Amino acid sequence: MKYEIEIKDEAKIELRKLPDDVRREIGYRLHLLQQDFSGDVKKLKGSKNEYRLRVGDHRVLFELVGRRILVY
C-alpha cells in the first residue's frame, strides 16, 4: 500500500543543512516508508498519529494522516 509523502518547508530547510550522503539515506528511507511503512519506525508517546523514523543518528518526525505521511 503506497502512501503519499508531504515534507513541510521547515523540514526541507533542515534537510538542506545535512551532508549529501545523509540526505540521500534519509530520502531512501522515506521512499521505503512510502512503499509499505517499513523501517525503524516508532510511535511517539502521548500522540495518536505522530511517529519517528530513525536513520542512523538522525530522527525524521512525521504525522500519519490517512494515507499521507506529513514530515515535519
Side-chain angles (χ1 to χ4, degrees):
M1 301 181 103
K2 194 166 184 174
Y3 293 84
E4 177 185 333
I5 290 187
E6 180 182 338
I7 301 176
K8 293 189 121 195
D9 291 337
E10 297 86 9
K12 289 179 184 177
I13 291 169
E14 293 300 318
L15 278 170
R16 288 187 192 111
K17 294 178 185 177
L18 297 173
D20 289 342
D21 58 330
V22 175
R23 271 191 295 189
R24 272 193 293 276
E25 184 65 23
I26 289 173
Y28 176 68
R29 297 289 179 90
L30 285 174
H31 172 74
L32 293 178
L33 184 69
Q34 180 183 20
Q35 299 304 313
D36 59 2
F37 210 74
S38 66
D40 187 359
V41 176
K42 286 191 179 178
K43 189 171 187 177
L44 298 179
K45 291 181 181 180
S47 170
K48 289 185 179 183
N49 58 350
E50 291 178 324
Y51 298 82
R52 69 99 173 121
L53 169 67
R54 183 175 178 186
V55 181
D57 293 336
H58 301 277
R59 306 296 180 272
V60 179
L61 300 176
F62 66 93
E63 185 175 357
L64 186 61
V65 182
R67 303 292 309 157
R68 188 174 65 153
I69 296 170
L70 178 60
V71 179
Y72 61 90

